[in-house]
Amino acid sequence: FEKLYADVENGNVDVAFVGGPSELTGSLQGNPLVSSEFCAFCAAGHPLAQLRGRVSISDLKKYAWVRNSAAPAIAPHIPRFIGHKKNPIENPRTVTAGSQQQAKDLVLYSNVLGFGPRVTLDSELAAGEIVELDLPIAKQYSVVMEIRRRNVYSAVLDRAFEIAEHYFKNLKTT
């Protein structure tokens, strides 16, 4: 994931839409598009999705969590629980995915749990394929940025940014 910043800076990629800092330095320019709250989620058919109300930590311990190895190194794959200094899910089991899409597929088609920015799940949440779990977790946010090199002028890239800005401006998510 961090490689995308270098790829844009080096000219290997013209534009990227990435999670990251809202301020850029050096040869990159960009804009924050949306700030999205992290949420814990599972497939709609998952046993935890059938529970009413808050999910208990003992119920969570029965399942593995997916970890997206392509996500930023600082992105958590397990939530921080309110009122706990350390993770109450001791030695959580994890399944590693190589991409965001693979992580979604693992959640959709197995009993693993996921944790990530809500904006990355908008389609699946709207379709009822994935449900958000009610957990006592600390609020965490990710900022989605559009980035490109400062010294590259392109009507096509300008239009790509306009389309992305319009989409995220009209998106109702936190």
Side-chain angles (χ1 to χ4, degrees):
F1 190 88
E2 283 80 4
K3 185 178 179 300
L4 279 174
Y5 286 94
D7 283 345
V8 172
E9 200 160 31
N10 296 330
N12 298 331
V13 175
D14 291 324
V15 65
F17 299 91
V18 295
S22 58
E23 294 182 22
L24 298 171
T25 59
S27 65
L28 297 179
Q29 71 179 33
N31 299 307
L33 296 170
V34 69
S35 177
S36 182
E37 185 175 351
F38 276 67
C39 66
F41 51 91
C42 66
H46 192 285
L48 294 181
Q50 312 314 311
L51 299 177
R52 300 268 186 248
R54 186 152 283 175
V55 176
S56 72
I57 291 172
S58 62
D59 284 330
L60 292 173
K61 289 180 178 181
K62 299 173 188 174
Y63 302 98
W65 292 84
V66 68
R67 180 187 169 279
N68 177 2
S69 64
I74 62 167
H77 67 281
I78 296 174
R80 289 187 330 233
F81 292 84
I82 295 172
H84 295 272
K85 291 187 186 227
K86 65 177 197 166
N87 190 338
I89 306 171
E90 298 167 11
N91 301 315
R93 293 177 292 138
T94 59
V95 176
T96 301
S99 68
Q100 178 65 28
Q101 185 59 52
Q102 188 179 40
K104 284 184 193 182
D105 287 345
L106 282 166
V107 170
L108 282 167
Y109 304 112
S110 73
N111 274 344
V112 300
L113 306 174
F115 182 68
R118 188 176 288 119
V119 70
T120 63
L121 306 164
D122 278 342
S123 303
E124 294 80 4
L125 286 165
E129 299 169 327
I130 287 178
V131 296
E132 187 172 343
L133 296 172
D134 182 7
L135 300 176
I137 58 177
K139 293 196 181 291
Q140 294 175 263
Y141 294 87
S142 175
V143 175
V144 177
M145 297 277 300
E146 57 185 7
I147 62 171
R148 70 193 244 193
R149 289 184 315 285
R150 289 184 194 281
N151 62 350
V152 174
Y153 302 98
S154 164
V156 173
L157 295 182
D158 291 344
R159 184 66 180 133
F161 271 31
E162 287 173 14
I163 291 168
E165 290 163 5
H166 177 75
Y167 172 80
F168 283 104
K169 179 179 176 185
N170 293 310
L171 185 67
K172 293 187 169 112
T173 187
T174 57

